[in-house]
Amino acid sequence: MNQPIVSVKNLSVRFGTFYAVKNVSFQVDRGEIFGFLGANGAGKTTTIRVLCGLLPATEGTVFIDNERFTRGKENLIKQKVGYMSQKFTLYDGISIAENMDFAAALHHLDKKRYEQRRTELLRFIDFREDLSLLVRDLPGGIKQEIALCVSLLHDPPIIFLDEPTAGVAPKARARFWDLIRHLAQTGKTVFVTTHYMDEAENCDRIALMRAGELIALDTPAALKKKTFQGQLYLITPKRGNVPLPDKSLFEIFEPYGRHYHALFKKETTSIQKQLAENFNITPIAPSLEDVFIRLVEGKDR
Amino acid sequence: MSTLLGFIKKELIALRRDPIMLAAILILPIVQVIILSQAITFEARNLRLVIDTIPDDTIMTRVYDHALGSGWFKKVAPLQKSAVEAVQAGEADVALIAPKGGLTRSLIRGEGELQILIDATNVLKAQSIEGYLQGIISGVLTQEMHISTHNPIHFSTRLLFNPELNTQWFLIPAISAVLVLMSLLTLISVSIAREKENGTIETLISAPISKYDIILGKTIPYIFVAFVNMFLIQTVGWFFFDMSFNGSFLMFVLSFMAFCLPATATAVWLATYTKTQQQAMLGLIIIIFLALMLSGAFFPRENMPEILQWISYINPLTHYTYLVRNIILKGAGWDYFAEHVGVLLLSGTIIAAIALKRFKTTL
């Protein structure tokens, strides 16, 4: 049977009396793109840091590639893990080549293996520029791609990406996600946190975190289906000064710019007819953003 | 006006919430006042005086008693060596050597030469000693022996190790010691703080390496930089100020290496408390200020209150300054070297143990 590459049981991380992560359990299968979603302070980064050995767990057990994270085994596990932090994997003041040399030294790669991996990875991201360019002179998207290469240099079976596309232009984000999908196709497991719900659609499974707790875990399609039993509608006012409809009619009535996403408590033709005087009502498929707002943000409101 | 008040309020609130900054602002001035008022004086006191004369030389004994009574000089514990050897070995600051047959007989005969042998490695001390002793001897002769018109004997003052009282010779070794400390402390602690501030520390601690790898990787390059710095300063001394190098070059390099242990350990220890480069710089100001003022590099330690003298004894910079100054100017021997290097290694080991315990490879 295919063992999960990550297995987390009852993980808690406490700072003083504050629980950043509370009793979280989940598994990540080999070769999947596993998304970790949550608002700021939900415990995503703390969890990822524990899984990469950057933070000690207060309680619970963590297995990475069948090795239990225990004292004395940190370096064994760190060899199996690639980690790309939010913005800080690379040193700005040195060149791309020097950053890669340093990463190779940190991971004890011999010269031959390093050069082979470097060539493979630069080909993988299709990088043809001068490696002597300083990192600080690179555009954000390229910088993140180089950071990805640096994190993969030692060829780990799993890579943890903590908000890898934060602050990156949309086109570069799309390109970065192409790379992530390619990685997964080559058998690597990708564990990724993101704020962008459109990106999360690319994940095989998604874990939703809220206030340190895991509140949902499933495929994007299953999450949408479970969260929205009824039909979701896009409601758009026909004019600028239309009074809002009675909110008690809706289970969900969330503003999206000048539109609203709405789920009726009780869907009847007469209610729709009544609303149609002032609003355009269009049935839509729920997005992950709808799921996120309902499950994560909705409970905070 | 409300904009200005808003600015002032925000700055004060930010200051109040930064404990390291607050400590630097409130505690540092208090420490400075205490140290500056107690420890820093150019007036030399507690100078170690030895005399060399025959047993019943009354006038020489009177001069010695007056010198000790003045408060400027103090006795040296009984020595196995001659007065000249005591000054050469650094066990006395000055030796008063009576003419043959004693000073009393020499005065009666109206001839002879009273020698004052001064260790001039510390220019400030040497200048004071000469003035003090001539005043005391003249006082004894005129007031107590009623010899007023002219001194029948000659004074011969010999300044050992820095005969021209060249201030640069006194200062350059001390400057080099202080700069080695400053460069090691600053480069290492700020470099570690920068990793934390920029977040690149995560790259280091997510790699399969130990804290020893991180610490060595963060210190060895800067030890090399400090080594080059030290040589540049000495080279300036040799070429531009005609400074001679009288000691063992091996001893000089070994002293540097021994000093690197407490200096780098202090830098790493400081870095364990700081999260930003600004905090590291504030910590550095406090540490460098204290180390400098309590080292004897520029202000004599002998004048400090006893408690500060003890603190200055455990200050690694005190021992490194002594070593550098004495190796370069005096050609100090291995026994002298062993004592000071021993203190450096011991203090370095203690600080390193504390720093290593505090240095974590987790966030």
Side-chain angles (χ1 to χ4, degrees):
Chain A
M1 193 184 139
N2 195 9
Q3 291 285 321
I5 192 159
V6 177
S7 178
V8 176
K9 279 181 197 153
N10 308 114
L11 175 69
S12 294
V13 181
R14 200 181 64 222
F15 300 112
T17 54
F18 169 71
Y19 273 91
V21 175
K22 199 170 182 183
N23 202 26
V24 166
S25 300
F26 62 88
Q27 291 186 338
V28 180
D29 294 327
R30 285 172 198 275
E32 79 170 324
I33 303 175
F34 189 85
F36 217 52
L37 269 64
N40 279 337
K44 308 184 299 289
T45 298
T46 304
T47 306
I48 235 176
R49 282 175 171 171
V50 172
L51 300 185
C52 294
L54 272 68
L55 265 181
T58 311
E59 289 160 33
T61 54
V62 172
F63 285 83
I64 304 278
D65 202 15
N66 300 326
E67 291 285 355
R68 185 174 172 180
F69 234 125
T70 49
R71 210 170 167 171
K73 272 195 178 172
E74 295 94 340
N75 284 349
L76 184 70
I77 291 171
K78 284 176 182 176
Q79 277 167 352
K80 300 180 175 212
V81 165
Y83 173 62
M84 181 177 155
S85 64
Q86 285 182 11
K87 286 177 187 170
F88 324 113
T89 302
L90 302 175
Y91 289 85
D92 264 359
I94 60 177
S95 71
I96 299 167
E98 287 158 349
N99 265 288
M100 295 186 99
D101 292 349
F102 182 53
L106 288 179
H107 287 92
H108 320 292
L109 293 189
D110 63 56
K111 198 176 174 214
K112 195 178 161 196
R113 177 83 180 121
Y114 163 50
E115 282 172 359
Q116 180 199 341
R117 282 296 292 160
R118 188 169 81 166
T119 310
E120 281 170 14
L121 288 165
L122 292 174
R123 196 179 301 140
F124 169 66
I125 63 165
D126 196 23
F127 188 79
R128 291 171 197 177
E129 303 296 321
D130 185 359
L131 291 181
S132 64
L133 282 170
L134 290 184
V135 166
R136 73 162 73 100
D137 297 333
L138 298 174
I142 303 289
K143 211 184 267 191
Q144 292 305 77
E145 288 180 19
I146 298 291
L148 181 67
C149 289
V150 165
S151 313
L152 288 166
L153 210 52
H154 59 294
D155 203 10
I158 180 164
I159 179 148
F160 290 88
L161 308 173
D162 192 8
E163 296 188 19
T165 55
V168 174
K171 199 175 167 189
R173 283 206 289 131
R175 201 182 123 77
F176 195 88
W177 271 91
D178 280 343
L179 295 175
I180 291 178
R181 280 191 295 270
H182 270 102
L183 272 179
Q185 280 162 13
T186 61
K188 297 261 185 249
T189 308
V190 182
F191 188 113
V192 59
T193 71
T194 179
H195 271 132
Y196 300 110
M197 294 302 134
D198 57 327
E199 289 185 351
E201 300 273 3
N202 291 299
C203 298
D204 296 314
R205 285 192 305 147
I206 289 168
L208 279 176
M209 292 284 287
R210 184 178 164 275
E213 294 181 72
L214 186 66
I215 55 168
L217 171 60
D218 218 322
T219 62
L223 278 177
K224 289 173 196 170
K225 201 172 171 187
K226 275 186 208 166
T227 314
F228 295 94
Q229 306 280 338
Q231 175 63 54
L232 192 69
Y233 289 94
L234 177 72
I235 296 185
T236 310
K238 287 180 176 171
R239 294 173 299 280
N241 55 352
V242 172
L244 287 180
D246 179 6
K247 284 190 182 172
S248 66
L249 296 172
F250 304 98
E251 199 175 318
I252 295 171
F253 191 77
E254 290 291 342
Y256 279 74
R258 58 182 290 270
H259 310 278
Y260 298 88
H261 284 198
L263 184 69
F264 288 98
K265 275 184 182 161
K266 195 177 171 189
E267 207 173 320
T268 61
T269 323
S270 64
I271 295 173
Q272 286 205 25
K273 221 174 198 177
Q274 194 187 323
L275 284 173
E277 284 178 27
N278 293 323
F279 298 92
N280 291 320
I281 303 170
T282 320
I284 53 166
S287 66
L288 268 181
E289 195 157 351
D290 293 307
V291 174
F292 186 83
I293 287 172
R294 180 139 202 224
L295 295 180
V296 177
E297 294 193 352
K299 287 184 181 171
D300 291 330
R301 289 181 186 180
Chain B
M1 191 63 184
S2 63
T3 311
L4 182 61
L5 283 174
F7 261 111
I8 294 168
K9 193 177 164 194
K10 175 244 160 198
E11 290 299 325
L12 290 175
I13 290 169
L15 201 61
R16 200 185 66 198
R17 293 201 178 131
D18 187 339
I20 292 183
M21 174 88 92
L22 207 59
I25 291 166
L26 299 180
I27 297 172
L28 190 60
I30 297 169
V31 175
Q32 276 174 329
V33 168
I34 294 169
I35 305 283
L36 285 169
S37 61
Q38 296 294 313
I40 298 174
T41 166
F42 289 105
E43 185 192 48
R45 282 187 169 271
N46 297 318
L47 301 158
R48 294 163 303 166
L49 171 68
V50 285
I51 56 168
D52 185 359
T53 187
I54 56 168
D56 51 356
D57 187 347
T58 331
I59 298 178
M60 191 65 162
T61 310
R62 197 65 63 83
V63 168
Y64 186 54
D65 290 344
H66 268 74
L68 297 182
S70 70
W72 289 321
F73 295 93
K74 69 174 185 183
K75 262 185 189 171
V76 175
L79 299 162
Q80 299 299 318
K81 45 188 78 151
S82 72
V84 177
E85 285 168 344
V87 176
Q88 280 170 338
E91 291 170 27
D93 297 307
V94 55
L96 205 53
I97 302 163
K100 204 172 178 186
L103 180 59
T104 314
R105 190 188 286 181
S106 183
L107 283 166
I108 294 164
R109 286 205 312 258
E111 60 177 27
E113 189 177 76
L114 179 64
Q115 276 192 59
I116 305 173
L117 203 64
I118 301 171
D119 177 349
T121 43
N122 186 326
V123 173
L124 299 172
K125 258 201 283 197
Q127 284 168 336
S128 304
I129 291 170
E130 194 177 2
Y132 293 160
L133 277 181
Q134 292 205 1
I136 288 165
I137 294 165
S138 296
V140 170
L141 295 184
T142 52
Q143 287 166 21
E144 300 201 17
M145 314 313 294
H146 310 295
I147 300 169
S148 56
T149 48
H150 70 282
N151 285 344
I153 58 157
H154 298 288
F155 287 108
S156 160
T157 305
R158 269 181 68 204
L159 299 164
L160 294 182
F161 315 120
N162 187 359
E164 289 170 18
L165 288 178
N166 191 327
T167 314
Q168 280 80 21
W169 287 21
F170 161 66
L171 287 176
I172 286 171
I175 291 169
S176 103
V178 170
L179 287 180
V180 164
L181 177 76
M182 283 172 72
S183 49
L184 284 173
L185 281 183
T186 311
L187 292 170
I188 294 168
S189 61
V190 170
S191 158
I192 297 173
R194 192 188 306 123
E195 297 270 6
K196 290 185 187 176
E197 192 173 346
N198 294 345
T200 45
I201 192 82
E202 291 189 14
T203 303
L204 301 183
I205 61 179
S206 66
I209 55 174
S210 70
K211 66 176 164 188
Y212 302 101
D213 292 321
I214 298 175
I215 291 171
L216 290 175
K218 280 277 161 200
T219 51
I220 289 171
Y222 300 117
I223 290 176
F224 179 72
V225 171
F227 192 69
V228 172
N229 251 345
M230 180 189 69
F231 267 93
L232 287 176
I233 297 161
Q234 296 305 334
T235 310
V236 168
W238 293 324
F239 280 101
F240 293 94
F241 300 105
D242 203 22
M243 220 171 108
S244 53
F245 189 94
N246 299 318
S248 150
F249 186 72
L250 175 66
M251 209 186 278
F252 183 63
V253 173
L254 290 176
S255 303
F256 168 82
M257 288 165 75
F259 181 60
C260 283
L261 180 63
T264 54
T266 306
V268 173
W269 173 72
L270 171 65
T272 63
Y273 288 96
T274 58
K275 287 182 179 157
T276 65
Q277 293 174 75
Q278 189 195 30
Q279 287 179 340
M281 290 306 295
L282 283 171
L284 284 168
I285 292 172
I286 298 171
I287 292 176
I288 291 172
F289 174 82
L290 288 174
L292 186 64
M293 294 303 157
L294 297 174
S295 67
F298 303 113
F299 311 103
R301 283 176 64 227
E302 293 80 0
N303 303 345
M304 296 176 193
E306 201 167 344
I307 176 80
L308 291 184
Q309 287 197 36
W310 275 106
I311 295 172
S312 89
Y313 188 76
I314 57 168
N315 175 9
L317 185 62
T318 304
H319 298 276
Y320 185 53
T321 309
Y322 271 36
L323 280 165
V324 172
R325 205 172 254 162
N326 286 287
I327 290 168
I328 294 175
L329 298 179
K330 275 188 183 175
W334 287 101
D335 51 342
Y336 186 87
F337 169 83
E339 179 200 334
H340 293 283
V341 163
V343 178
L344 287 179
L345 294 178
L346 181 67
S347 59
T349 307
I350 294 167
I351 303 167
I354 297 167
L356 279 172
K357 194 168 165 47
R358 280 192 54 83
F359 197 93
K360 301 270 185 286
T361 47
T362 50
L363 292 173

Short mmCIF file of all heavy atoms in Angstrom, two decimals, chain A residues 56 68-75 77, chain B residues 211 357 360:
data_model
loop_
_atom_site.label_atom_id
_atom_site.label_comp_id
_atom_site.label_asym_id
_atom_site.label_seq_id
_atom_site.Cartn_x
_atom_site.Cartn_y
_atom_site.Cartn_z
N PRO A 56 9.69 23.57 16.72
CA PRO A 56 9.35 22.31 17.39
C PRO A 56 7.84 22.23 17.65
O PRO A 56 7.20 23.25 17.92
CB PRO A 56 10.13 22.39 18.70
CG PRO A 56 10.34 23.84 18.95
CD PRO A 56 10.29 24.55 17.63
N ARG A 68 9.83 9.46 11.57
CA ARG A 68 9.18 10.29 12.58
C ARG A 68 10.12 11.43 12.99
O ARG A 68 11.32 11.22 13.21
CB ARG A 68 8.85 9.44 13.81
CG ARG A 68 8.07 10.26 14.81
CD ARG A 68 7.59 9.43 15.96
NE ARG A 68 7.03 10.34 16.96
CZ ARG A 68 6.52 9.96 18.10
NH1 ARG A 68 6.47 8.69 18.40
NH2 ARG A 68 6.05 10.83 18.96
N PHE A 69 9.55 12.63 13.06
CA PHE A 69 10.33 13.80 13.46
C PHE A 69 10.62 13.71 14.95
O PHE A 69 9.75 13.94 15.79
CB PHE A 69 9.51 15.07 13.21
CG PHE A 69 10.24 16.07 12.36
CD1 PHE A 69 9.67 16.57 11.20
CD2 PHE A 69 11.50 16.51 12.72
CE1 PHE A 69 10.33 17.49 10.41
CE2 PHE A 69 12.17 17.43 11.93
CZ PHE A 69 11.59 17.92 10.78
N THR A 70 11.80 13.29 15.31
CA THR A 70 12.18 13.25 16.72
C THR A 70 13.53 13.91 16.86
O THR A 70 14.24 14.11 15.87
CB THR A 70 12.29 11.81 17.25
OG1 THR A 70 13.10 11.08 16.33
CG2 THR A 70 10.96 11.15 17.41
N ARG A 71 13.86 14.23 18.09
CA ARG A 71 15.14 14.88 18.35
C ARG A 71 16.28 14.00 17.86
O ARG A 71 16.30 12.80 18.13
CB ARG A 71 15.27 15.14 19.84
CG ARG A 71 16.08 16.34 20.13
CD ARG A 71 15.99 16.70 21.56
NE ARG A 71 17.03 17.67 21.85
CZ ARG A 71 17.12 18.31 22.97
NH1 ARG A 71 16.26 18.10 23.90
NH2 ARG A 71 18.09 19.17 23.16
N GLY A 72 17.20 14.59 17.13
CA GLY A 72 18.33 13.84 16.61
C GLY A 72 18.11 13.37 15.18
O GLY A 72 19.05 13.00 14.50
N LYS A 73 16.84 13.40 14.73
CA LYS A 73 16.57 12.96 13.36
C LYS A 73 16.27 14.14 12.44
O LYS A 73 15.92 13.94 11.27
CB LYS A 73 15.36 12.02 13.35
CG LYS A 73 15.71 10.58 13.56
CD LYS A 73 14.54 9.71 13.17
CE LYS A 73 14.88 8.25 13.33
NZ LYS A 73 13.69 7.42 13.12
N GLU A 74 16.39 15.35 12.98
CA GLU A 74 16.00 16.54 12.21
C GLU A 74 16.71 16.60 10.86
O GLU A 74 16.07 16.82 9.83
CB GLU A 74 16.31 17.84 12.98
CG GLU A 74 15.52 18.03 14.25
CD GLU A 74 16.28 17.53 15.46
OE1 GLU A 74 17.20 16.71 15.31
OE2 GLU A 74 15.92 17.95 16.58
N ASN A 75 18.03 16.37 10.89
CA ASN A 75 18.78 16.55 9.65
C ASN A 75 18.47 15.47 8.61
O ASN A 75 18.48 15.72 7.41
CB ASN A 75 20.29 16.59 9.94
CG ASN A 75 20.67 17.93 10.54
OD1 ASN A 75 19.87 18.86 10.53
ND2 ASN A 75 21.87 18.03 11.06
N ILE A 77 15.56 14.18 8.20
CA ILE A 77 14.29 14.58 7.59
C ILE A 77 14.46 15.82 6.72
O ILE A 77 13.88 15.91 5.64
CB ILE A 77 13.21 14.77 8.68
CG1 ILE A 77 12.90 13.39 9.26
CG2 ILE A 77 11.95 15.42 8.12
CD1 ILE A 77 12.05 13.36 10.46
N LYS B 211 24.05 23.56 14.34
CA LYS B 211 24.27 24.96 14.74
C LYS B 211 25.76 25.30 14.71
O LYS B 211 26.13 26.45 14.50
CB LYS B 211 23.66 25.25 16.10
CG LYS B 211 24.25 24.55 17.29
CD LYS B 211 23.54 25.07 18.53
CE LYS B 211 23.75 24.20 19.73
NZ LYS B 211 22.91 24.62 20.85
N LYS B 357 24.60 27.45 24.10
CA LYS B 357 23.36 26.98 24.74
C LYS B 357 22.16 27.80 24.26
O LYS B 357 21.07 27.28 24.06
CB LYS B 357 23.52 27.06 26.27
CG LYS B 357 22.45 26.30 27.03
CD LYS B 357 22.82 26.18 28.49
CE LYS B 357 21.67 25.75 29.35
NZ LYS B 357 20.90 24.62 28.88
N LYS B 360 19.80 28.66 18.89
CA LYS B 360 18.86 27.60 18.51
C LYS B 360 18.80 27.45 16.99
O LYS B 360 18.93 28.43 16.27
CB LYS B 360 17.45 27.95 19.01
CG LYS B 360 17.35 28.14 20.52
CD LYS B 360 17.02 26.83 21.20
CE LYS B 360 16.80 26.98 22.68
NZ LYS B 360 17.98 27.19 23.49
#
